[in-house]
Amino acid sequence: MEEQETTLSSRYRGILLDVDGTLVDSNDTHADAWVRALRENGYDVSFEKIRPLMGMGGDNLLPTAVGLDKESEEGKKISERRGEIFRELLPTIRPFPGTRELISFLQKSGFQVVVATSAPDQEVDPLLEIAQVRDLIPQQTTADDAENSKPDPDIIHAALRRLGLPAEETVLLGDTRFDIEAAAKAGVGTIALRCGGATNEELAGAIAIYEDPEDLLERFEASPLAQAAPLEVGALSPP
């Protein structure tokens, strides 16, 4: 789809962007970092157990995976080590096809765009650089702006405040069931991407599902973002 100037006629005015698994192919890398950090600290947890939890922040992942409070001394040690390992692996991460093209098109179409991710500040900027969209997205909401991470709705609420838009005029672009759950709790619908590794069944609460940013861009004119008619949160409409 060629980039072009368009007139915004969608019911939506704001777009909340998840990053990991949505803009960049990093979910496996995050899972690997968690597995290695946990094992270094005496928790022999498999990649297969951790991988489905991607999309959660550490405050929710650690209690779910090993029954450990992130704010405990041990939890903080593991979380810090995970961050170190992940940052070492940043050079292995790549953007998904069409990421920059999609974000540029959304901006030119008049949408207000803000990052809404469970990742901490120190990881978000490098990931946006990898996605080649850092210059396109001036606003971001991260784990540092919310008390609890996804699937709690704190980050979504914070991003909405940053945009200054009501939930019904905003949509989240995400890739996990935790994105969908967090957004729905805040009254926001989700357009889901399969490139993060989730199946259609796992993304069943989304208002639409696409393969990756490139697929959404190519089929934009038939997407919820180009439609003026309201869609109910949780009403799945696979393209």
Side-chain angles (χ1 to χ4, degrees):
M1 183 175 186
E2 295 183 359
E3 289 192 6
Q4 56 183 318
E5 295 291 341
T6 62
T7 301
L8 183 60
S9 60
S10 169
R11 68 163 295 204
Y12 299 113
R13 292 195 291 151
I15 296 177
L16 312 182
L17 286 175
D18 178 56
V19 176
D20 291 295
T22 300
L23 304 183
V24 294
D25 191 2
S26 55
N27 283 346
D28 283 357
T29 307
H30 274 294
D32 184 41
W34 275 115
V35 169
R36 289 165 58 179
L38 284 163
R39 286 181 178 172
E40 286 181 12
N41 287 275
Y43 292 89
D44 189 12
V45 183
S46 70
F47 179 89
E48 289 72 24
K49 181 175 181 178
I50 296 297
R51 181 59 177 82
L53 303 181
M54 294 305 95
M56 284 185 171
D59 59 321
N60 285 313
L61 184 146
L62 281 172
T64 301
V66 294
L68 191 63
D69 186 346
K70 183 186 177 184
E71 295 306 313
S72 66
E73 183 176 347
E74 191 174 16
K76 290 179 180 178
K77 180 180 178 181
I78 293 171
S79 295
E80 289 173 3
R81 180 58 182 142
R82 179 220 64 85
E84 292 171 353
I85 295 171
F86 181 76
R87 289 189 291 276
E88 291 170 1
L89 296 173
L90 278 170
T92 69
I93 298 172
R94 297 291 179 266
F96 287 117
T99 292
R100 181 174 176 85
E101 292 80 5
L102 174 63
I103 303 307
S104 177
F105 178 81
L106 293 175
Q107 294 278 21
K108 290 180 179 181
S109 297
F111 291 97
Q112 296 181 52
V113 180
V114 62
V115 166
T117 175
S118 290
D121 276 342
Q122 60 185 326
E123 293 175 12
V124 174
D125 279 343
L127 290 172
L128 293 179
E129 290 289 348
I130 290 170
Q132 301 175 5
V133 296
R134 185 68 192 90
D135 60 314
L136 300 178
I137 309 174
Q139 299 188 84
Q140 59 189 50
T141 308
T142 70
D144 300 272
D145 299 304
E147 183 174 349
N148 300 305
S149 68
K150 300 170 187 173
D152 293 304
D154 299 22
I155 289 167
I156 307 300
H157 286 305
L160 289 173
R161 289 193 296 271
R162 186 151 292 175
L163 280 181
L165 292 175
E168 62 269 19
E169 294 182 10
T170 308
V171 67
L172 172 71
L173 186 61
D175 70 295
T176 72
R177 60 190 176 94
F178 306 117
D179 291 320
I180 297 168
E181 182 179 344
K185 288 175 181 175
V188 173
T190 299
I191 293 177
L193 303 180
R194 283 186 291 262
C195 51
T199 64
N200 280 6
E201 289 72 23
E202 291 170 324
L203 301 173
I207 59 175
I209 300 174
Y210 296 87
E211 188 61 36
D212 55 24
E214 184 175 64
D215 185 34
L216 173 55
L217 180 59
E218 289 178 349
R219 296 197 275 167
F220 182 85
E221 291 181 0
S223 77
L225 291 174
Q227 297 171 0
L231 290 171
E232 294 183 2
V233 172
L236 178 62
S237 301

